[in-house]
Amino acid sequence: VQLQASGGGLVQAGGSLRISCAASGRAFYGPVMGWFRQAPGKEREFVVASRWSRGYTLYADSVKGRFAISRDSAKNTVYLEMNSLKPEDTAVYYCTAGPNVVRDVSKYTYWGQGTLVTVSS
């Protein structure tokens, strides 16, 4: 049972990056998948979650219009496309799965190991 995040790296402010989350080990992790992030010394915060079966996606205000979540069902992979990156987007990004689209980190069941995104100014 594994959510494997990848694709993090160093990018300049204003740049773009796409990170991925590959699901393996079971056929179904939950109707909702999403991303959280955690900056050094800060709590893990909600970024985005989506319930594709109902066409519902929720973004944090801080990333709305800049980030986009998508998925490739055939590959069991979820993506986070990040554009117009800012230094404050620097964090470890974690993919997650759960039963509902909520901002509460405690409501998600499965977690990946995280991938580091660093945005330089």
Side-chain angles (χ1 to χ4, degrees):
V1 177
Q2 196 171 19
L3 296 177
Q4 184 73 35
S6 63
L10 176 64
V11 62
Q12 288 188 333
S16 299
L17 193 67
R18 188 179 78 163
I19 57 178
S20 304
C21 175
S24 63
R26 58 187 293 159
F28 184 72
Y29 279 87
V32 173
M33 292 197 72
W35 294 89
F36 279 71
R37 67 185 181 185
Q38 189 166 18
K42 295 187 177 181
E43 294 185 351
R44 194 168 297 191
E45 67 171 358
F46 174 81
V47 176
V48 60
S50 186
R51 187 166 186 155
W52 284 279
S53 63
R54 297 187 179 179
Y56 178 57
T57 300
L58 179 66
Y59 287 94
D61 289 344
S62 59
V63 306
K64 196 176 298 182
R66 300 188 297 122
F67 289 13
I69 189 172
S70 63
R71 70 169 181 172
D72 185 331
S73 298
K75 296 182 179 180
N76 284 334
T77 300
V78 174
Y79 303 97
L80 183 64
E81 183 76 34
M82 303 180 288
N83 300 305
S84 301
L85 283 161
K86 306 174 182 180
E88 51 264 44
D89 294 318
T90 295
V92 176
Y93 284 71
Y94 297 90
C95 61
T96 185
N100 295 295
V101 176
V102 294
R103 302 176 189 270
D104 187 344
V105 64
S106 69
K107 303 302 183 184
Y108 289 85
T109 309
Y110 301 101
W111 292 90
Q113 87 289 359
T115 186
L116 176 62
V117 173
T118 304
V119 184
S120 64
S121 57

